[in-house]
DNA sequence: CACCAGGCAAGTA
DNA sequence: TACTTGCATGGT
């Protein structure tokens, strides 16, 4: 159902969510590097577990490119243990930091000064950074305009008939890009709001099949 | 006890 | 291309 009606509905849903739930103020990180670390650690992992791992890193003052570069794999893995998949995530963090040190002298602002397509290609070339992690870093770290697609986005919007469940990441992303005003604020808040309702409502309240698109009011109301 | 969380990459056919 | 599997802790 990729037509004009569903596209304006996508924006209406955003307006409704931001009005009822308020700005989410993402990303919850103090520095750009902390943001990137969080993005990698939260892959298929509950955010509460990521917070524990980040607290460990902060306690040791390891939220620093040169420090992370210097620490051994096993040391880092043990420190981020609560976030799960700690062995693989330790390698992923070190892969990112390696590029940061080699190509940008460890200065993340220099990496983020790349154009959006250049930055996206660079991030995707790093082993362990896929489309969602790359786009999260671009949007919330580098503050460039790109819509982040996650499991909640695909689940909620495909179940409501906006697009087929088997749509690829880029197809879903294009759908949102074509449906929304190209504003940083909207891309930022919309993804955060989707994660909010995904975590808090979608699982517990299986409202999804009760909300056909031809009853937009019922759909929007039932999200609450 | 089972299930799953703000994914990604490698292996198989 | 289309599945499947490994990676792992901690909350419900």
């Amino acid at each position: 159902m990729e037509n004009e009606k569903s596209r304006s509905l996508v924006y209406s849903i955003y307006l409704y969510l931001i009005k009822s739930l308020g700005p989410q103020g993402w990303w919850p990180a103090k520095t750009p590097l902390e943001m990137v670390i969080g993005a990698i650690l939260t892959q298929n992992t509950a955010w509460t577990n990521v917070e524990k791992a980040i607290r460990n890193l902060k306690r040791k003052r390891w939220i620093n490119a040169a420090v992370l570069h210097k620490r051994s794999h096993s040391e880092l893995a043990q420190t981020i243990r609560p976030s799960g998949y700690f062995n693989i995530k330790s390698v992923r963090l070190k892969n990112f930091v390696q590029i940061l040190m080699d190509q940008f002298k460890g200065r993340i602002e220099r990496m983020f000064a790349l154009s959006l397509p250049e930055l996206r290609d660079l991030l995707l070339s790093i082993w362990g950074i896929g489309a969602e992690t790359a786009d999260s870093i671009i949007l919330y770290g580098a503050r460039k305009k790109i819509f982040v697609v996650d499991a909640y986005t695909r689940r909620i919007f495909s179940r409501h008939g906006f697009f087929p469940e088997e749509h690829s990441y880029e197809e879903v992303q294009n759908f949102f890009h074509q449906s929304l005003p190209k504003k940083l604020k909207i891309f930022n808040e919309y993804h955060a709001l989707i994660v909010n309702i995904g975590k808090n409502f979608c699982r517990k309240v299986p409202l999804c099949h009760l909300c056909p698109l031809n009853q937009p009011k019922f759909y929007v109301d039932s999200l609450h």
Side-chain angles (χ1 to χ4, degrees):
Chain A
M1 188 163 183
E2 296 188 33
N3 52 37
E4 279 309 309
K5 195 175 164 189
S6 77
R7 292 196 167 148
S8 72
L9 225 194
V10 171
Y11 185 46
S12 301
I13 291 168
Y14 165 76
L15 294 174
Y16 173 79
L17 291 174
I18 193 99
K19 194 173 80 175
S20 49
L21 299 175
Q24 306 294 296
W26 274 28
W27 185 283
K30 220 179 96 186
T31 66
L33 182 61
E34 183 186 330
M35 185 274 141
V36 171
I37 292 169
I40 291 171
L41 295 185
T42 199
Q43 290 167 355
N44 201 39
T45 300
W47 181 251
T48 50
N49 288 2
V50 177
E51 287 179 319
K52 296 177 199 299
I54 290 182
R55 270 201 295 278
N56 289 348
L57 290 169
K58 281 184 171 171
R59 193 179 314 122
K60 296 186 174 183
R61 319 257 159 155
W62 282 11
I63 313 271
N64 172 291
V67 171
L68 288 174
H69 187 58
K70 198 168 61 182
R71 308 302 359 161
S72 73
H73 159 72
S74 54
E75 254 183 323
L76 181 54
Q78 283 313 302
T79 307
I80 62 172
R81 190 179 160 83
S83 72
Y85 305 122
F86 49 83
N87 283 312
I88 212 165
K89 284 174 178 174
S90 169
V91 174
R92 289 174 183 184
L93 286 177
K94 289 183 81 63
N95 286 343
F96 175 84
V97 171
Q98 182 79 48
I99 299 292
L100 194 53
M101 297 302 287
D102 290 352
Q103 298 186 27
F104 305 93
K105 301 179 177 174
R107 304 191 189 173
I108 206 165
E109 328 79 59
R110 295 198 182 189
M111 177 188 283
F112 288 172
L114 291 174
S115 71
L116 195 158
E118 286 174 331
L119 178 57
R120 194 169 198 270
D121 285 347
L122 173 66
L123 291 170
L124 290 176
S125 76
I126 300 173
W127 189 93
I129 296 185
E132 186 189 335
T133 307
D135 290 341
S136 291
I137 292 169
I138 293 167
L139 177 63
Y140 296 108
R143 304 190 168 282
K144 297 179 194 293
K145 297 168 203 166
I146 198 158
F147 192 89
V148 179
V149 177
D150 69 337
Y152 292 133
T153 310
R154 186 177 282 101
R155 194 184 302 152
I156 295 172
F157 283 83
S158 68
R159 280 182 188 175
H160 288 87
F162 286 89
F163 43 77
E165 199 155 2
E166 61 272 15
H167 248 32
S168 70
Y169 185 97
E170 271 75 19
E171 285 173 317
V172 175
Q173 186 174 56
N174 285 338
F175 172 78
F176 281 93
H177 282 167
Q178 289 161 16
S179 305
L180 297 168
K182 195 176 177 184
K183 307 277 280 186
L184 192 63
K185 160 87 171 170
I186 295 174
F187 291 162
N188 181 317
E189 292 294 343
Y190 210 159
H191 174 64
L193 287 161
I194 288 170
V195 174
N196 184 326
I197 63 172
K199 281 201 289 206
N200 296 315
F201 300 108
C202 198
R203 283 286 177 193
K204 295 173 194 164
V205 188
L207 48 86
C208 300
H209 19 273
L210 302 176
C211 318
L213 259 187
N214 55 8
Q215 297 177 36
K217 262 194 143 201
F218 177 62
Y219 162 75
V220 174
D221 288 345
S222 65
L223 275 176
H224 198 47

